[in-house]
Every structure is written in C-alpha cells, then in structure tokens.
Amino acid sequence: MNMKGEPIVILVVEDDPAHVEIIRRNFEASRLANRLISVEDGQAALDYLFRKGEYNNQAKYPMPNLILLDLRLPKVDGLEVLKIIKSDQMLTKIPVVILTTSAAEADMVKAYEHHANSFLVKPVDFTQFSKLMETFGYYWVAWNQYPQDL
Amino acid sequence: MEGIVATNKKDQIKPKRRFVNVTLPRDYSIGFRFVSFLIVALLLCGVGVGLLVASTSRNYLRQQSLQNNLNQATLAASYASNYIAAIEAHVKVFATRPDIVQAILNGTASQLQPTLTSFIQLQTSLNGVGITNPNGILLTNSTAGSTTIGQSYAGNDWFQEVVSTKQPYLSLPKLAQINNIPIETYAVPILDDHGQIIAILSAGISLKELSNAIVNIGYNTTTQAVLIDTRGSGLIIANKNPALLLTPVAGDNQAINQVLAGGNGSLVTTGSNGKQDLTGFAAVTGLPWGILVITPSSSAYSILNSLMQRASIYVVLIVLLSVILGVLLVLSVTRPLNRLIADTKIIGSGNLDIKLETNRKDEVGALSRAFNDMTNNLKTIMVSRDELAAEVSDRKQAEEKLRETNEYLENLFNYANAPIIVWNNQFTIVRFNHAFEVLTGRAAGDVVGKSIDILFPPSQKETSMDLIRATTTGERWDTAEISILRQDGSLRTVLWNSASVLASDGKTRVATIAQGQDITVRIQSLKSLKESEERYRTLFESAIDGILIADLATRQFKYANPSICEMLGYTQEELTRMGVMDIHPPESIEDNLAKFGALARGELKMVTVPCLRKDRTIIFANISAVKAIIDGKECNIGFFDDVTERRLVAQEREKIAKELAEKNTELERFTYTVSHDLKSPLVTVKTFLGYLKHDIAAADPLLIEKDMLFMNSAADKMGKLLEELLEMSRVGRIANLPVNVTFNELIEDTLGNTAGRIEEKGVKVRLHKEPVTLFGDRTRLVEIWQNLVENAVKFMGDQPAPQIDIGVEQRENGTVFFVRDNGIGIEPKYQAKLFNLFEKLNPKMEGTGMGLAIAKRIVELYQGKIWVESKGLGEGTCFFFTLPGALKDKKKGV
C-alpha cells in the first residue's frame, strides 16, 4: 500500500518456485499490504504485460506498478524482457528491479544499459535475504511514487 | 580503216575505197589455167593408181578365198571321218558282246530289246538299232513294242552286202521318216565262234548333228558347205537348203568331178546360175563322201568394191577442194596488185597524204613501202620551208625564259633554308649558300675555292671523303650522314642528298650539288628517348608487380611483363593475343568490370578481384591502374599484386577468430550459468534453513515440511547439475578407442538404455534400418541418440499415440540422421536457443537443460551439425544431425 493507501501491484518474474516462495514470505512478513503476482518465464511476463491470451483480464491480471525480474529465464531471457519493456512507450514507465542470483558484472552493465531501474543480487544467507526484502519493501512499496495513469 | 592512215590535217578529204571503182584486169585467167592443169594431172594420177591397186587386190583376195575354202573343206572332211569312225567302232564292239551273241544262239534274241534301247540312249547320233537273222527277218529292235518285228529286210542293200562280204557296210543315204533328215544304215555281221553269220546288227546313223556342224562352216554368210555321198553320180547329204537333200549334185564343173573322184583342191568354177564361184573341196577319208566349200566370187570381192566406191568419192572431193584453193590463190595475188594500181593512180593525181598499206611481207608490201618513202620525201621538202620562220621566233622566247629561270634558281639557292653546297670534280668548293654559312659559321668567301675536306672533323675526314669521291662515279646519295666541323670547333650531324651537275651535252659530269639537313638535335633527342625507354623497360621487366597494358577501346593486351606471366601462367606471346575478358573467371567478370570502372573514374585507388590462371585456378590480385597513350592509342596500365595467399591467411585468421569468439561466448555462458544455476539452489537451501529455524520454533509442522521439501528439491537439482557438468566436461575428450559400429548397433544400444522411459510412456519406436557404418567412440555416439530419444519422450505431451521415428537420409551433401517425434513440438522462435547450455524452455520439466547441449557437443566433435525442424506447437519435432567425421574415417577401422 502506498502513501495514498492504494495497494501496489508487483509482478514477479521468477522460474524457481522456491524463490517465489521466499519473496512471497518476505512480503507477508513485512506486512506491507500489496498484491504479488508471479509468472515463471520471460514469455509469460511479456504475454502478461501485453495482455495476450489468458492474461487479457484487467481485473484478474492488473497492470503492475513494479516488476521484479530475474535474468535467467526459460523461453525468453530476462534481459530480452527488459529490452522489450523499456522500448515500449507505455511499459517503460513501470520501474523494473532486477533480482538475480548472478553477480556477474557483465549482466549488471547490460541491465543498466537497457534502463533497469535497480539491480539486486539474491544473498546466499537467510538473514541477508530477509533484510534485503524488508528494505526493498519499505523503499519500493512504502516510499516510491508511481505514475497513476497506467 | 583498212589500208589508209588519215593525216592530221582536218580538211583532208578521205579517199574513197578502191573496191568500188576498180575492175579486175582481164588477164587474171593465167592463174586459172595453171590451176586447171594441176587438177587434170592429179586426176589422171589418182585413177591410174586406183586401177593398179584394184587389180592386185582382186588377185590376192581370190587366192585367199580359195585357200580358205580348201582349208575349211579339209577340216570338215577330217571332222566327218572321225565322227562316223567313232560311231562305227561303238557298233562293232556292241555286235561282239557275249550276251548278244549268246542270246541269238539261244534263240532268245527277242528279249534283247531293252539292251538295244539302252545302247541307243548312250549313242545320240543313232536313230535306232535292229537285229535280223541271216534270212533278213527282223528279230528285235530298240523300239519297245515295234510293229516291224518279223518283217523281212532281205531286199535292203546293207543286208545283201553284209551277207555276201561278211564285212560291215554303210548303206546309201535315205531320208528318215520321222524328221526328213538323211540317214545311212551301218550294218555289222554277228558271227559265232566258227565265223558263221548268226545275225546282222543294223544301226541307223542320223546325219543331223554332223550336217549341222558342216553347213555352218564358212568365213562369211555367202559361203556354203556341201557334204556329198560320192557313190553313183553323187548325192547331197548335207546342205543349208533342205530341198536339195538327197538330190544329185548339180552341174558338171571340174570341182564336182574331182570330188567324186576323191580329190582335194580348189578351183574357180562357174555355178549353175552362170556366176563365178570360188570352191574348195576334199574327200572324207575312209568313207565314200566328199565336201565342197563354195563362195560366190561377188561376195569375195565385196570388200574391194566398197573400197573402190569410197575412193571415188574422195577423188571428187579432192578435185573440188583443189578448184576452190586455186581460185583463192589467184585472188590473193591479184587483189593487192589491183589496190596498188588504184592507190598509185590517186598519188599520181597529186594527193601526197595517201599512205599505202605497207604491212604485207611480200613483194607487193616492198613496192608499197618504196612508194610511201617517195611521197614522204616530197612532203618534207614542202613543210620545212614553212617551219623555218616560226622556229626563229620560238628560240627568242625560250632565251628570255631561260634568263628568268636562272635568276629564280639563283635566289632559291642563296636563300634556301637548307644548306646547299656545290663542288667540282677536283673536290673544290664552288658554291656555298647562306644556310651553309649558318651551319658552318664560315663565310662563303672564305671557303669557295678551297678543298671540301676542310668542312669535316679530322677523325672523320677519310670516311667522309670516300663518300664524296663516290659521287664522281655518278653515284647519288639519298641519305648520307656526314658530320660537319663548325668554325667554333663544335660538330653538327647532317644528312645529305646529292645530284650530279651535267654539262650541256647531258652526259659529262662537271660538278656535284648536295643539300643537307641538320639532324644534330634530332639525334640527341632520339638518344635520350632511347635511354628513357631503356629505363622504363628495365622497370617494366623487373617489377615485382605484374604489369599488363591494355588498349582501352578493344580491351586487348599490348604488353605483359614477366611477373604477370608468372602470376597468370601464360607466356608473353599468349597474353598479347588475349584480352581483359580472358583473364577473369566468367562468373565474376561483370563484378570485375564494375570495379575497373570505379578505378578508371578515380573512385577507387585499388580493387581486389579474382583472376583466372591458364591452369583454370583462381588467384586474387590487388589491381591499380593508370591511363597512358601508348603507340598512339589510349591504354590502361594495370599493376597486379597477387594477394591470394594473403587473403587465405586473412580468411584463416578470420575463421580462427570466429571460432575463438564462439568458444569465448560458450565459456562466458558456462561461467554465467554456473554462477547463476549453481548458486540458485544454494540460495534456496540457505534461506529455507532460516525459515526452518523459525518454523521449528513456532512448531508449525505444515510449514516445516514445506521448507524441507524446498531444500530437498534444491539439493537434488544441484546434484543433478554437477553430474551433468561433469558429463559435459568429459565430452570434450574422447575417452574410448574409436571402433567401427553400424547405425543399427548404435540404435540398439540407445533403445536398450532408454527402454524404461519409452515403456513407461507407451511410446512406439519405428526404426528405419540403413546399412551405414560409423567409426568413432561408441559410447559417445550412442549418447547423441539417447539424449534425442529422451528429449522426444519427455516432450510427448498428451499425445494419445506417441511415436518416435529413427532413421537416415542420403542427401546431396551427405548422410543425415534424424529422430522424429509426434510430441508437443517447438515454436520456431525458440528453436535457435534450444542447444544452449542449461537452456530450458519449460521450468517445470525435470532435467537441467543440458541434454541437447551435450548432443550438440558430440556432433561437433565429429565435424557435424545438428538442427531442429518443427512447424510449431502440437506439430511434433524432428532433430537432424550429420557426422561427417565418423563417416569419413570409417575405412581406417579394423
């Protein structure tokens, strides 16, 4: 929920169900009221954003305020998804936060080149991961401002 | 105009032709009398000779004909004698045959008919044979069923003769009833052992065959041969005319008498028709026969008669021809004489312009020429008087003209641009013009009167003087090169031509005039041109670059240097016969010409194009070009630098770089995936360990189980990943020794390894067996098919009748293996990513996404390619791959 009390819709693009679970649990723990929707590959993410197929349902699949994007994804790679989002006139207004396992410099550079809004690496430690998600929640959900007319 | 030459005076009246008004004189008949005498003499001579020849020929012909007829008669007589003797001998022998004699003695002679018949069948000249008893009664004959058996022949001459003499007898002739041909019966007694007649054998001899042979004797159709039986007064038994057969010989001339008397010879006889015959005659030995061969004398002389007729015609023709020739002879003599008479009459009347015809070679011609000379002399005297006056005034004019010409020539000489010099026979300089003063730097006054050798440099004095002296013999120089020494000591090279100056008699040479042309500068420039050409030639010949000079208009080569010859493999001669179009591969010629165009316009400094060598191999050359005018034609000079090897090296380098880049990418992906995919389960384990701690503290059994499940799954995933990474790293190294293995064996192994999963899903596998043998690491090769089959089973989806086809296709560029399924298929946009390491299209599927990457790696180890074809989701998938390395090396196997 943002400052105005509206829920923030977050689209999580993540192929590992374990990681989706971790993110979900963290958001629940932080008690920030928001809505978490997950898709498991790059193609599904694009279909969601462009409202293709089953995702052509505004009530069930609302346009997200924020996208949490893993880089290594089946079918369509995370960077490719980022590129498409950032080259679309409307979607480019949605902040994209990269959340990936890899700390490779090359990946980070490429992500920023394609206008990623933030780049986070999943920590290999429970406390660290929890802290990251907590901070993330405060920053991106509580404080960050989003355009209205999406 | 025959016989007349018109004079040059136009008002001359042409004389009339003289045939018109000239008549022949009467005494022309002298010629004709001479001719007539000649003809009469000729005729008398011809007739005399003709008569003599005729008489001699007649005698000769008669003698020939008589001798000929005698020869024929003798020959025919000999033939007849032999002919009858042969038949008689056969009959005699037959009469003594024991079976005949025995049959007669036994009284069974009537049974001899078949014997007699077969006898006459052998003797074609016998009409028939018969046997009579001593009383003349016919016992049997050669005719079966004859009606004459039992008749008596006792009255016949042959019977009576044989009985009385006991000797064979030839009867008088008579005509056969059957064919009206004379026959004579030959009768022979048949005797017993005591010499008593027991029967008589009679044989009818037909004279037909003999008669035919004799009557056809004769050297011409009018000759007749006659066979006569000389008994009695003689009977004709062979003659051309059948009506005369068995008639007595007509007439009683000497020849017949002699024949009847048995003599031989020839005679001129008079026939029954009163005409002369030439007759030869001969007796037939051993027989009462004689032969006459008669030729009517008219036929014997017929050749002579026709000869005489033709001779008469020739005589008449010769006489006629003589008359015509005689007349022509007379006319040929009298005609020109008559013309001459007519022409002299005209001259006599005062017309001197008449010319007589003088081209005859005879006396008349000579007479005409004498007349012409006379008229000419007369004319000359008349003309010379008129011309004298005209000549005097002409000469005055000529003198004036000569003076003007002299002045003109003097000016020309003095002010001509070319140096001109005249020297006399002593080689002293006589004249020296202004241009020569300029050339030598000497004044005319200083040199005139001096020897010419002062003009030459000392070193060349002798050779120059040799040339000068040569002109005294009348030699002319067209171009003699003689150097001139200037007053200031410098040398000038001068080209000379000369001519003799002749005295007024037009023969005596009084001086020589020579004109020079200073070519010093030209020679110097030629020399420097030669040097520069030499310089460029050396450059051209020794250049490392190939150089070709081509005519811009025709694109034909004019020059080629050794380097280009070596580069293209042609000789210089070959190249100069070729053109631009011949040294580039046909498929690239258009492209090359476009590049040359850019070169010519200066858009490019250099182009790289393929060139075709003589041995049809292709090299690449960097070509630059400049334009130049060579031999008056606009040409392109092309410089060729062979860069084939450099290109190859560059290409090789590019290829290696590309391969390296590919490896790098693969390595990057590898490290990336390892860092991501291996770390990911680690994150899961660590995080859920944290949750587990909380959940245990909260004693929430549901959550505890969930946490453990996540951790377990992550650990499994990690184990599997590590395992496959190890596998992957092994692929690069071939662990097992390569062996020969057939396609079918590989598939058997594959199906054995995957049997469990295939069965579990109920997949039907169809194997298309092919006799293909591979050579390689059997375990690795099996892994390719195994990964593909596992992949196919995995992505079968909810296909109700799952099926996999495994087989081989022979394509144009090699053997292609395939594994096809009717499973879920792959969307075209994902097909490229399929073989990437850890690539998974479906995160929910088990596996790590390494199967296809491993298959690809093994295929690449055998220099092969792997690709996928699928029309999309639900359309099934087909993996294709090639293994050239395994197929190529199979022969090395044991």
Side-chain angles (χ1 to χ4, degrees), chain B residues 395-597:
Chain B
R395 191 169 291 171
K396 268 185 190 163
Q397 275 179 8
E399 270 170 6
E400 180 60 24
K401 219 164 203 170
L402 192 65
R403 199 185 53 74
E404 281 170 16
T405 308
N406 259 345
E407 212 171 274
Y408 172 74
L409 283 175
E410 193 68 19
N411 285 337
L412 201 65
F413 178 82
N414 280 329
Y415 301 108
N417 274 331
I420 299 172
I421 184 169
V422 181
W423 65 86
N424 64 14
N425 288 348
Q426 287 73 47
F427 312 116
T428 308
I429 298 166
V430 185
R431 296 291 300 267
F432 198 79
N433 76 346
H434 179 68
F436 220 118
E437 289 178 331
V438 175
L439 176 70
T440 57
R442 298 169 193 265
D446 295 344
V447 290
V448 169
K450 292 190 179 149
S451 170
I452 194 164
D453 66 359
I454 60 159
L455 298 175
F456 308 134
S459 62
Q460 295 173 22
K461 212 163 253 186
E462 261 326 292
T463 51
S464 302
M465 282 308 289
D466 283 346
L467 282 168
I468 299 285
R469 277 192 281 269
T471 60
T472 58
T473 62
E475 187 182 286
R476 282 188 68 244
W477 301 332
D478 278 332
T479 49
E481 191 182 308
I482 299 174
S483 297
I484 295 294
L485 182 67
R486 276 176 60 86
Q487 182 85 29
D488 60 13
S490 65
L491 271 183
R492 309 297 291 182
T493 308
V494 185
L495 216 54
W496 297 97
N497 54 23
S498 76
S500 292
V501 178
L502 302 177
S504 54
D505 63 358
K507 284 174 189 165
T508 316
R509 209 186 53 84
V510 293
T512 303
I513 184 165
Q515 177 191 281
Q517 187 185 2
D518 187 350
I519 56 165
T520 315
V521 175
R522 197 199 294 172
I523 280 181
Q524 262 166 8
S525 63
L526 258 174
K527 213 187 254 172
S528 62
L529 193 68
K530 219 171 182 182
E531 278 168 10
S532 102
E533 196 187 296
E534 196 64 35
R535 237 178 359 251
Y536 284 113
R537 177 162 299 280
T538 311
L539 258 176
F540 181 77
E541 297 285 342
S542 58
I544 295 167
D545 270 0
I547 303 175
L548 268 177
I549 300 179
D551 188 314
L552 261 181
T554 62
R555 288 199 178 127
Q556 290 296 305
F557 299 133
K558 293 171 78 76
Y559 299 102
N561 78 341
S563 288
I564 192 74
C565 293
E566 198 183 332
M567 212 178 279
L568 296 178
Y570 290 103
T571 64
Q572 271 176 321
E573 288 72 32
E574 282 170 330
L575 275 174
T576 48
R577 281 195 304 270
M578 295 164 59
V580 174
M581 310 300 278
D582 302 322
I583 60 153
H584 297 289
E587 62 273 13
S588 66
I589 192 82
E590 216 168 293
D591 188 39
N592 287 6
L593 288 178
K595 284 180 177 171
F596 294 152

Side-chain angles (χ1 to χ4, degrees), chain B residues 340 347 355-377:
Chain B
L340 195 59
I347 292 167
K355 279 247 161 56
L356 302 179
E357 186 186 0
T358 58
N359 50 4
R360 298 183 66 99
K361 294 219 168 90
D362 53 11
E363 291 80 351
V364 181
L367 189 59
S368 306
R369 281 191 288 277
F371 267 109
N372 276 346
D373 287 346
M374 189 184 77
T375 48
N376 276 342
N377 286 340

Side-chain angles (χ1 to χ4, degrees), chain B residues 134-148:
Chain B
N135 297 322
I137 303 300
L138 185 65
L139 296 174
T140 183
N141 66 7
S142 53
T143 314
S146 169
T147 53
T148 54

